[in-house]
Amino acid sequence: MKLVPKKENRSTKENENKQGGKSVDQVRKVAPGGLKGRISSLKEHLPKQFNPSKSVGIRLFLIFFIAIMFFVLTIGIISYQMAKNTIQDNAEMANQQTIVQTSQKLDIILQKYRENLQQTFLDTEMQTSIMEASLKTTDYDRFVATNKMRTRLNTITLNTQGIVAVYMIGEDLGNITTGSVDQEFLDSIKEQPWYEKLSKSAETVWVDVPSSSSSGTGIFRLVRSITSVNGMERFILVADINLDILTQYLKELDLGEGSRVQLVNSENIVVASSLTEDQGQTTDVDLSKVGTELLGGIRTKDGNKNPVLAVYNTQATSG
């Protein structure tokens, strides 16, 4: 006896097989679409607008980062300023010592010229000639006496390096000169601002000479008022000194790259400088902050408004 499946069961199986076949095909076809669906579903679960400023972690990170950077920058700036000030102070001290030594050297040189001029004037031969010229009544005798005085002055220009001319100005004996005389200066000597004062008192002054009034190389003048040994007459002695005597010492100084050394008078005019083109010009360094101290250093600006360290020492040029 055989069992024969019902048509319904057979058809049901066929339907299931058919449906199973379709489901396989559908799985195969739907699988890719299902991955996209998962991704889109994942996106739907994420916040639609992500705002970092509302994140506590990022806020904490930014707070710690800014705080650390603030302290690092603060310490760095403070350290830089301290190191900068230390370097400037050390440079100021070193340059100041160099300037003082140079100033002392220049004082010795200038003192040598003062002493040579005085010794020549107070020489026995010179004083004898002055007395003879004052006592002689004839023009010839006076000429002989003044010629002896001129010969004695010649020893200064010949034996003293740097002196190019000497003037001996007297009220009664007239003007006695030697060397490369500046005739324009000689003609206007009584009109000089220092003449009246020096004609009445024994003093010494240093005068810078503009290059336009000097023939040849630049010069500066030593002016000294002194009376004869017998006190009969006062003379004003003037010595024109070659400016190269001063500039050669200034050019030997090396205070660093871009540095320069200037000898400036009370009117801020450069008398001598390590840079030749500065001579006779008004210094471009702002010295308005310089007080009454004879020695010191200031932080100021030059003509181009660049910050500079200016170290100064007052030259002893009187006496």
Side-chain angles (χ1 to χ4, degrees), residues 99-151:
I99 292 298
V100 170
Q101 292 174 359
T102 304
S103 179
Q104 292 173 349
K105 185 183 295 185
L106 292 179
D107 279 337
I108 294 174
I109 295 172
L110 299 178
Q111 179 64 27
K112 181 188 69 173
Y113 288 116
R114 289 197 297 265
E115 292 176 351
N116 288 347
L117 195 62
Q118 180 176 348
Q119 289 175 2
T120 302
F121 179 79
L122 297 178
D123 182 74
T124 303
E125 183 178 348
M126 175 67 77
Q127 292 300 312
T128 301
S129 301
I130 293 174
M131 186 176 297
E132 290 177 354
S134 301
L135 297 176
K136 298 300 182 182
T137 56
T138 64
D139 293 339
Y140 177 77
D141 292 338
R142 178 168 291 193
F143 171 77
V144 173
T146 55
N147 194 45
K148 291 181 180 179
M149 297 164 62
R150 184 176 293 104
T151 301

Side-chain angles (χ1 to χ4, degrees), residues 43-205:
K43 289 182 178 179
E44 291 178 356
H45 287 82
L46 290 174
K48 294 184 178 179
Q49 293 183 349
F50 180 70
N51 191 349
S53 62
K54 294 182 179 180
S55 174
V56 177
I58 293 180
R59 287 183 180 181
L60 292 175
F61 170 76
L62 292 176
I63 291 174
F64 283 112
F65 178 78
I66 294 173
I68 293 172
M69 289 301 298
F70 173 78
F71 285 111
V72 170
L73 289 176
T74 302
I75 295 174
I77 293 173
I78 294 175
S79 301
Y80 169 77
Q81 291 296 333
M82 292 178 62
K84 179 181 177 182
N85 292 334
T86 301
I87 293 173
Q88 287 181 342
D89 292 340
N90 292 337
E92 180 177 342
M93 292 180 60
N95 292 341
Q96 198 171 75
Q97 293 177 357
T98 304
I99 292 298
V100 170
Q101 292 174 359
T102 304
S103 179
Q104 292 173 349
K105 185 183 295 185
L106 292 179
D107 279 337
I108 294 174
I109 295 172
L110 299 178
Q111 179 64 27
K112 181 188 69 173
Y113 288 116
R114 289 197 297 265
E115 292 176 351
N116 288 347
L117 195 62
Q118 180 176 348
Q119 289 175 2
T120 302
F121 179 79
L122 297 178
D123 182 74
T124 303
E125 183 178 348
M126 175 67 77
Q127 292 300 312
T128 301
S129 301
I130 293 174
M131 186 176 297
E132 290 177 354
S134 301
L135 297 176
K136 298 300 182 182
T137 56
T138 64
D139 293 339
Y140 177 77
D141 292 338
R142 178 168 291 193
F143 171 77
V144 173
T146 55
N147 194 45
K148 291 181 180 179
M149 297 164 62
R150 184 176 293 104
T151 301
R152 189 71 187 100
L153 291 178
N154 277 332
T155 59
I156 301 180
T157 57
L158 295 176
N159 299 330
T160 306
Q161 181 183 6
I163 294 183
V164 296
V166 178
Y167 310 79
M168 185 172 174
I169 313 301
E171 290 292 335
D172 297 333
L173 299 181
N175 303 331
I176 303 171
T177 62
T178 182
S180 303
V181 177
D182 185 348
Q183 191 62 42
E184 182 181 353
F185 164 71
L186 185 61
D187 295 339
S188 61
I189 192 169
K190 293 186 178 181
E191 301 174 1
Q192 300 297 322
W194 41 261
Y195 181 82
E196 183 177 357
K197 183 179 181 180
L198 268 65
S199 63
K200 298 177 181 179
S201 60
E203 293 187 22
T204 301
V205 297

Side-chain angles (χ1 to χ4, degrees), residues 210-239:
S211 57
S212 59
S213 65
S214 171
S215 58
T217 184
I219 62 171
F220 65 103
R221 287 193 172 106
L222 164 62
V223 183
R224 184 157 194 171
S225 175
I226 191 170
T227 57
S228 59
V229 175
N230 56 14
M232 295 178 62
E233 187 173 358
R234 179 177 295 278
F235 292 89
I236 294 179
L237 304 177
V238 182

